[in-house]
Amino acid sequence: LESVNKKLKKYSHVNKKAFDQFVNFNEQRESLLKRKEELDRGAAKVEELVESLDRQKDEAINRTFRGVSAHFKDVFRELVPNGAGELVMKTSLDEKDSDDSLDAEEFDPKNPKVSSYRGIGIKVRFSQVGENFLMSQLSGGQKALVALGLIFAIQRCDPAPFYLFDELDQALDSSYRAAVAALIQRQANNPDTPTQFICSTFRPEIVSVANRCYGISHQNKVSSIHHLSKKDALHFIANLMTEEEALGEVTTIVSSKVTKGSVESTGRKRRRRGEAIVEETDEGDQLLDNE
């Protein structure tokens, strides 16, 4: 017994609470493992939810684009009967030098991922035969017409209760103004989605299809609104257009006179310079003959 006690004294520094600590730490370990499993299951559900939301987002964006694109074709055909227009979605496959472009095998044309989108392009033509033009190749009036077509296409896809336009027909030709006015009239009287349009204009086409007309006068720094009949509104616009045409003719005449006067003035100066050379130089006749 004495020898055994001597041997036990060699282990005097042994932690006598090691077993209790082991049991305690083991319980903590089991609790942390259960907590980790719960967090892993929660993370998996979150990832599943994110994937589902991304899929719904892609489907919603693709569905909206297809709807707006289809309505844009119809609206543009109504505005330009002999023309055609379409919306084109630009993807990463169009960027040949892009590092993050998707492989052609991974690209699904029926339901592409939104992350592959790079923008939307518009191609239109204003005649039955001819090439399609991009927005950068169009004139100001044509760009305005295409923008209106896109607005009306969005309106048909997601109708709003009313629209406010400020001189939307200012840059359009008379034929396009008549087409826009007819389209507004159809949209406003649509039995499924009737819409109110409030437009300010100085052209007769929209006034001729309006239900109510109002004139705005400005006097002494105060603006006043007056209800006008359609006849009075058209008469006011006709007088305004006549004044604009007269002003344009006067401007053209004045500019032509200014140009002619400058040419005559330049010729007189040249003749005067020639006379001065003859008077100041004895050999002026010879110089002029040589010239």
Side-chain angles (χ1 to χ4, degrees):
L1 181 61
E2 183 179 357
S3 62
V4 172
N5 289 330
K6 289 180 179 180
K7 292 179 179 179
L8 290 176
K9 288 180 180 180
K10 296 179 180 179
Y11 303 100
S12 59
H13 299 290
V14 174
N15 185 9
K16 297 180 180 180
K17 297 181 179 181
F19 180 76
D20 295 335
Q21 292 177 350
F22 170 77
V23 173
N24 187 20
F25 291 153
N26 191 33
E27 291 177 355
Q28 293 181 6
R29 177 177 177 275
E30 294 295 333
S31 177
L32 292 174
L33 289 176
K34 291 181 180 179
R35 180 61 179 166
K36 178 180 178 298
E37 292 178 358
E38 293 177 358
L39 293 176
D40 290 340
R41 288 194 296 268
K45 291 182 179 179
V46 170
E47 291 179 356
E48 183 179 355
L49 177 61
V50 171
E51 291 179 358
S52 176
L53 292 177
D54 287 340
R55 185 169 54 255
Q56 294 178 13
K57 177 193 67 176
D58 294 347
E59 292 176 355
I61 292 177
N62 291 327
R63 181 173 61 254
T64 303
F65 172 75
R66 294 191 185 100
V68 174
S69 179
H71 287 304
F72 180 76
K73 291 182 179 179
D74 298 336
V75 171
F76 194 81
R77 192 177 298 111
E78 294 178 18
L79 295 176
V80 187
N82 295 328
E86 62 176 341
L87 299 179
V88 180
M89 181 67 74
K90 298 179 180 179
T91 63
S92 56
L93 293 179
D94 300 329
E95 301 177 358
K96 297 181 180 179
D97 299 333
S98 178
D99 297 334
D100 58 345
S101 61
L102 300 175
D103 294 334
E105 298 178 356
E106 300 178 357
F107 185 78
D108 184 8
K110 295 183 179 180
N111 192 21
K113 294 183 178 180
V114 176
S115 58
S116 65
Y117 291 162
R118 295 297 181 267
I120 296 177
I122 299 179
K123 293 182 179 180
V124 295
R125 71 171 185 269
F126 292 85
S127 59
Q128 293 181 351
V129 180
E131 60 179 350
N132 294 328
F133 295 98
L134 300 176
M135 287 294 292
S136 59
Q137 300 171 329
L138 301 179
S139 62
Q142 291 173 338
K143 289 180 180 179
L145 187 66
V146 173
L148 289 174
L150 182 59
I151 292 174
F152 289 127
I154 296 174
Q155 190 268 337
R156 290 186 179 183
C157 187
D158 186 14
F162 76 94
Y163 289 86
L164 178 61
F165 291 123
D166 182 20
E167 297 187 39
L168 77 164
D169 55 352
Q170 183 64 28
L172 301 180
D173 297 335
S174 59
S175 59
Y176 293 147
R177 291 199 300 265
V180 170
L183 181 60
I184 290 177
Q185 187 179 27
R186 287 193 297 270
Q187 296 282 99
N189 299 324
N190 190 341
D192 297 330
T193 56
T195 305
Q196 183 182 15
F197 292 87
I198 303 174
C199 307
S200 63
T201 181
F202 292 98
R203 296 294 181 264
E205 286 79 10
I206 293 182
V207 176
S208 61
V209 299
N211 295 328
R212 293 185 180 181
C213 300
Y214 297 90
I216 301 176
S217 61
H218 184 77
Q219 188 176 6
N220 297 329
K221 298 181 179 180
V222 178
S223 298
S224 303
I225 301 177
H226 309 280
H227 182 266
L228 299 176
S229 64
K230 185 178 295 186
K231 181 179 179 180
D232 293 337
L234 291 174
H235 181 68
F236 169 77
I237 290 179
N239 292 337
L240 183 63
M241 294 180 67
T242 303
E243 292 178 1
E244 290 181 354
E245 292 177 358
L247 181 61
E249 292 178 358
V250 170
T251 304
T252 304
I253 294 173
V254 171
S255 61
S256 63
K257 287 183 177 180
V258 171
T259 305
K260 183 178 180 181
S262 62
V263 172
E264 291 179 353
S265 175
T266 305
R268 290 175 181 175
K269 290 181 180 180
R270 290 178 179 176
R271 287 197 296 270
R272 289 176 182 176
R273 290 177 184 175
E275 293 174 357
I277 292 174
V278 173
E279 293 177 357
E280 294 176 1
T281 306
D282 295 336
E283 299 177 356
D285 294 337
Q286 184 178 357
L287 291 175
L288 293 175
D289 292 339
N290 291 335
E291 291 177 358

